[in-house]
Amino acid sequence: MSVHSTVRKVTTHVLHEMKLKGEKIAMLTGYDFSMARILDQAGVDIILVGDSASNVMAGFETTLPITLDNMIYHAASVVRATKRALIVVDLPFGTYQGNSKKALASAVRIMKETGASAVKLEGGVEILDSVERILSAGIPVMGHLGLTPQSIHKFGTYVVRATEKEEAEKLIKDAQKLEKAGCFAIVLEKVPARLGKEVSGMLRIPTIGIGAGMHTDGQVLVVHDMLGITQEFSPRFLRRYHNLNAEINGAVKTYIEDVRSGDFPNEREQY
Ligand code: KIV
């Protein structure tokens, strides 16, 4: 019997078991109670309270403006909705880079004030001190390599990362360091499929890909993108499973017509 079908609660241990058995891990982002409940009931293994909330919930162009307080608000809402999925929360920009004490304090706030099970940090060797300090407090850490949107002003663009040998070699070393430090999984974002395959084959911990090809141990998408709520974002790696934007637009237009024509509410819809 498969691991994922038997567990009542997904833990980091369950994810390792899934990797060992070759079972793919399904992760989606989630930011609010109602959506998280749907994702959890559908059986997603991990809900990532991503700092992509900065884009899809708050309407900022980048992930940089979102605050720790904002992330805590989103994460606590997701935790209240969730029974089975593991909940991972992004540490936002400016709350962990270059200061491991501050990183630990940020991670502790997430764990205490939301009830989530793990945090995610972007970067490799540059943030290793922060990763180690958080891990030393018993807080599980997910790494994130490749395209790291919090560094967009350093990269300058959102193009595929690590296509050149030097950057690919650094990514491989970073992944090994994060695994050695004790991270329980690593997100690989927008890197060539062959590199996704190499890193996934090399590590004992699971890799979760987004635009990293078919060989990573799991996949993640931003839920607003895969449901077709967002329309303007169409990278090659994105599969849209629905066109919710059109569905919602149609429903709202019908509601407006019904109100204007006096069709809503009718006699059965009043007291
Ligand atoms: O913030 C986010 O949604 C993420 C995923 C894209 C991995 O980090």
Side-chain angles (χ1 to χ4, degrees), residues 29 31 48 50-52 90 120 122 144 187 189 210 220 222:
T29 64
Y31 319 99
L48 170 67
D51 59 356
S52 49
D90 266 338
K120 175 163 82 58
E122 294 183 5
H144 183 154
V187 166
E189 179 163 354
I210 174 163
V220 57
V222 169

Side-chain angles (χ1 to χ4, degrees), residues 47 74 80 108 118 172 222 241:
I47 298 178
H74 287 298
R80 283 194 287 276
V108 166
I172 290 170
V222 169
Y241 287 84

Side-chain angles (χ1 to χ4, degrees), residues 17-245:
E17 290 282 299
M18 287 176 74
K19 170 147 184 163
L20 278 176
K21 295 225 166 131
E23 280 177 40
K24 295 278 188 180
I25 298 163
M27 169 161 135
L28 281 172
T29 64
Y31 319 99
D32 68 273
F33 178 87
S34 303
M35 183 70 84
R37 188 141 76 172
I38 297 171
L39 304 182
D40 191 51
Q41 287 174 352
V44 76
D45 300 307
I46 308 174
I47 298 178
L48 170 67
V49 185
D51 59 356
S52 49
S54 182
N55 310 109
V56 297
M57 299 300 285
F60 289 114
E61 222 167 86
T62 72
T63 57
L64 273 64
I66 200 159
T67 66
L68 188 56
D69 284 340
N70 294 157
M71 291 303 295
I72 287 171
Y73 168 79
H74 287 298
S77 309
V78 168
V79 169
R80 283 194 287 276
T82 307
K83 290 196 166 77
R84 178 182 173 276
L86 181 87
I87 298 171
V88 181
V89 184
D90 266 338
L91 283 191
F93 176 68
T95 65
Y96 63 94
Q97 294 96 338
N99 184 337
S100 66
K101 274 193 184 164
K102 187 172 176 186
L104 177 59
S106 306
V108 166
R109 274 201 67 197
I110 299 248
M111 302 302 280
K112 268 189 186 290
E113 296 178 41
T114 73
S117 303
V119 295
K120 175 163 82 58
L121 281 67
E122 294 183 5
V125 66
E126 313 79 14
I127 56 141
L128 206 57
D129 282 355
S130 295
V131 169
E132 283 168 346
R133 197 160 199 142
I134 294 170
L135 284 164
S136 74
I139 300 172
V141 175
M142 178 181 268
H144 183 154
L145 298 172
L147 178 65
T148 48
Q150 290 179 15
S151 308
I152 183 58
H153 294 301
K154 181 173 137 197
F155 296 146
T157 89
Y158 288 101
V159 294
V160 184
R161 306 300 312 174
T163 51
E164 303 295 328
K165 193 168 170 229
E166 199 181 325
E167 196 180 336
E169 281 172 0
K170 176 177 175 343
L171 188 146
I172 290 170
K173 281 194 188 120
D174 282 343
Q176 287 168 328
K177 284 186 177 131
L178 291 174
E179 175 174 78
K180 195 161 173 228
C183 285
F184 72 88
I186 300 177
V187 166
L188 296 176
E189 179 163 354
K190 226 172 170 185
V191 297
R194 62 171 187 288
L195 183 59
K197 182 177 182 184
E198 186 177 347
V199 174
S200 306
M202 199 181 68
L203 299 182
R204 278 169 287 110
I205 58 173
T207 56
I208 312 285
I210 174 163
M214 62 175 79
H215 296 288
T216 53
D217 302 301
Q219 297 292 331
V220 57
L221 286 174
V222 169
V223 72
H224 287 61
D225 298 334
M226 60 83 74
L227 290 177
I229 298 173
T230 51
Q231 297 283 289
E232 50 295 327
F233 182 66
S234 282
R236 188 197 297 186
F237 67 75
L238 173 60
R239 187 180 293 184
R240 283 195 210 287
Y241 287 84
H242 208 66
N243 189 349
L244 259 195
N245 187 301

